[in-house]
Amino acid sequence: MDAPHTLQAAIAHFSDPQRAFETAVEFRWPAGNVTCPRCGQAKHSFIKTRRIWFCYVCKKQFTVKVGTIFEDSPLGLDKWMIALWMLANCKNRVSSYELGKVLGIRQNSAWFMLHRIREAMKDNPSFKFGGEEGGPVESDETFVGPNPYKMHKSRKAKVHARDEGNKHYVGGTAVFGVLDRELRQVRTKVVPDVKRETLQNEILNQVHKGSKVYTDAAVGYDHLRKEFVHEVVNHAKEYVNGQVHTQGLDNFWSLLKRTLRGTYVAVEPFHLDHYLDEQVFRYNNRATKDNKLTDADRFALLMSQVAGKRLTYATLTGKDTDSLHPSSAGTGQEEPF
């Protein structure tokens, strides 16, 4: 059977455990040179009946799941393949309830599975936007959270009391983003605030000095002309002034918030980075006139990124002592939606 190009074909293709296993092996070791994920050596034997290898160097067994987002998962690769295909290609995303119903697993298992896949979607950029190879860069920030105009006044007062230091938005989580118009790619990050120092440090980390940077008239972008060719559009008067605008990022923010409010509904602030990774992956790998990616291409790209990434449940929920999540994770923080 040929490689699938639709969800229906993918379900039929990966329903065979052997075919799902062979696909995982092909993406894990493209050249066919299987190496032990623990010691990196290629001296091993394959136990066909159990689909595992035995390493002669470290004297341990390993499967294709070890050292990937699949590690220690009791779910079969057939279910994982369908989950990867759906999250990579469903435009409106997939909720854990929907995925659990489709795969016949519990909702909390589907929720953990989705976060593992988002870990594989995470991008680790090795270059800065702009410069000689890139084009003009848009920079903008937004707030993800409840709409204060639709809150009951008692909740609004409660949220405002907690976030009284944030004068820009009541109860919102600040998100920063940059978009390279030439590369048609975006990068985002949750930031603690939208102060001048925070925003300009992020721009310095993501954009080549001397590049064209377009922003709105927020005071956080003052003094960028010292390092960049900075042009501003004042949204109090207009949204577009020739090539000077932030409409590309505004489009991305619209897609992000539509997904969060329509599909995921309730997202904890300390998980928001994972949902940003998912949105960025789909946006940066969307089909364009110059790069006609298909569903199969996005699935293949995501499968090529599953190795070398591991996310445990303790780390995800903030219960791991070595976790980067705040100690207050899951202790009654206000949900943004």
Side-chain angles (χ1 to χ4, degrees):
M1 182 178 180
D2 295 332
H5 292 279
T6 64
L7 176 59
Q8 182 183 21
I11 293 173
H13 185 83
F14 297 123
S15 61
D16 181 358
Q18 180 62 28
R19 191 177 291 135
F21 170 77
E22 292 172 355
T23 301
V25 172
E26 181 181 351
F27 281 107
R28 179 73 189 276
W29 297 289
N33 299 322
V34 179
T35 57
C36 176
R38 297 186 178 91
C39 64
Q41 300 299 315
K43 296 182 179 180
H44 50 70
S45 59
F46 180 62
I47 305 174
K48 186 176 181 180
T49 56
R50 298 174 60 194
R51 300 193 184 95
I52 63 174
W53 290 265
F54 177 78
C55 179
Y56 294 129
V57 179
C58 62
K59 305 299 181 181
K60 292 183 179 181
Q61 295 177 343
F62 65 91
T63 69
V64 70
K65 289 183 176 181
V66 175
T68 70
I69 61 171
F70 312 133
E71 186 168 351
D72 287 339
S73 172
L75 299 176
L77 287 172
D78 55 339
K79 295 184 184 296
W80 273 106
M81 297 292 182
I82 300 306
L84 284 159
W85 187 284
M86 292 180 67
L87 195 61
N89 295 305
C90 291
K91 291 185 177 180
N92 294 322
R93 307 300 182 268
V94 184
S95 70
S96 57
Y97 284 95
E98 182 178 359
L99 184 65
K101 184 178 179 181
V102 169
L103 298 181
I105 60 178
R106 295 186 302 171
Q107 180 271 333
N108 55 351
S109 298
W111 180 81
F112 186 29
M113 173 185 279
L114 288 173
H115 274 291
R116 283 175 152 184
I117 298 174
R118 293 184 188 108
E119 184 71 16
M121 289 178 163
K122 185 179 297 184
D123 183 28
N124 297 311
S126 58
F127 64 94
K128 293 184 177 182
F129 281 164
E132 297 180 357
E133 297 182 359
V137 177
E138 297 178 21
S139 177
D140 194 23
E141 80 290 337
T142 190
F143 290 89
V144 176
N147 188 339
Y149 297 104
K150 297 181 181 180
M151 285 185 189
H152 188 277
K153 64 178 183 179
S154 61
R155 186 190 177 200
K156 185 175 181 179
K158 180 180 178 181
V159 174
H160 183 71
R162 189 185 71 248
D163 292 344
E164 58 183 3
N166 185 356
K167 300 179 181 179
H168 300 275
Y169 196 84
V170 178
T173 301
V175 178
F176 168 81
V178 288
L179 180 145
D180 190 310
R181 291 185 185 174
E182 186 71 23
L183 299 177
R184 300 175 64 86
Q185 292 189 351
V186 67
R187 294 174 187 167
T188 61
K189 181 181 180 181
V190 173
V191 291
D193 52 61
V194 291
K195 295 179 180 179
R196 180 183 293 110
E197 181 181 3
T198 302
L199 296 180
Q200 297 195 9
N201 281 338
E202 291 299 330
I203 294 175
L204 286 170
N205 290 335
Q206 297 292 345
V207 183
H208 272 289
K209 291 183 180 180
S211 302
K212 287 185 179 180
V213 177
Y214 300 146
T215 71
D216 56 27
V219 295
Y221 299 111
D222 290 349
H223 311 305
L224 277 179
R225 287 187 175 88
K226 295 180 180 179
E227 302 290 347
F228 305 96
V229 180
H230 182 211
E231 296 189 53
V232 174
V233 57
N234 188 348
H235 287 170
K237 299 179 180 179
E238 57 192 0
Y239 282 89
V240 178
N241 184 2
Q243 294 297 316
V244 184
H245 61 80
T246 59
Q247 295 299 290
L249 272 176
D250 288 341
N251 171 56
F252 179 84
W253 299 140
S254 177
L255 293 172
L256 172 67
K257 293 180 180 181
R258 205 175 307 161
T259 298
L260 293 177
R261 290 169 180 163
T263 302
Y264 296 129
V265 184
V267 175
E268 289 283 358
F270 54 86
H271 286 150
L272 184 56
D273 262 326
H274 298 153
Y275 292 89
L276 288 173
D277 292 334
E278 176 190 346
Q279 184 71 26
V280 168
F281 176 87
R282 273 197 48 82
Y283 186 88
N284 289 347
N285 296 290
R286 66 197 185 283
T288 64
K289 292 181 179 180
D290 300 326
N291 190 18
K292 297 183 179 180
L293 292 176
T294 64
D295 289 358
D297 294 330
R298 277 184 289 273
F299 170 77
L301 176 61
L302 184 54
M303 276 297 298
S304 68
Q305 298 179 180
V306 301
K309 297 178 180 179
R310 177 114 189 263
L311 181 65
T312 65
Y313 192 79
T315 300
L316 177 62
T317 56
K319 297 178 180 179
D320 189 348
T321 55
D322 296 329
S323 173
L324 297 178
H325 293 294
S327 58
S328 59
T331 56
Q333 293 188 53
E334 189 75 21
E335 293 184 351
F337 297 103

